[in-house]
Amino acid sequence: MFIQTEATPNPATLKFLPGKVVMEKGTADFRNAGEAEASPLASRLFAVPGVTGVYFGYDFITVTKESGEWQHLKPAILGSIMEHFMSGQPVMGGGTSTAEAFDEEGEFYDEGDETIVATIKELLETRVRPAVAQDGGDITFKGFKDGTVYLNMKGACSGCPSSTATLKHGVHNLLRHFVPEVQSVEAL
């Protein structure tokens, strides 16, 4: 099994491409070992000292470190990913992770703004998320209130130094261009 690695704009996060589908549907974001119990793969990765975040996309895994050098952590992370896929275990356990449950609920907006929200979601889905996924992250819609769009930054985007620029310049300008009602964009 050959696993590729790619740097991300976030120096504390690396993207791993196992050459297999990781999450057939949706994504999963784990910020601690307790949340990772919902996933055998995330649990293995959190067992590596220094790992503080794990994110699963369709065909990639991003791992965030708190300390240590990538040259020391990468072999253990690669070994954990390889062991997992060779074991035949599922990526996610039987239950829904708290990360997935949070993704599916908690959106907020006024009923009168449904058309605006639908346009925002379509723009995020077709133009923003594919670009951000290339960097090992994800941006999801959380709400729209009083002209402000609230987004959730995940994976490599979470805590990335350039995520503010991506959000304020790229996403904000795109949404304002197509949806004049958008006045600002904020990360939750």
Side-chain angles (χ1 to χ4, degrees), residues 39-112:
S39 165
L41 176 54
S43 293
R44 281 182 199 250
L45 292 169
F46 270 100
V48 175
V51 170
T52 59
V54 174
Y55 176 78
F56 299 147
Y58 176 74
D59 63 350
F60 67 90
I61 301 159
T62 56
V63 177
T64 304
K65 68 177 179 76
E66 181 178 56
S67 60
E69 296 295 323
W70 281 119
Q71 64 192 24
H72 302 300
L73 294 172
K74 201 159 102 171
I77 293 167
L78 287 167
S80 295
I81 294 170
M82 193 174 302
E83 282 175 18
H84 174 79
F85 281 107
M86 300 303 261
S87 76
Q89 285 185 297
V91 171
M92 297 300 293
T96 303
S97 77
T98 55
E100 286 178 329
F102 181 72
D103 281 350
E104 295 170 6
E105 59 188 50
E107 287 186 0
F108 57 90
Y109 55 89
D110 293 331
E111 284 183 32

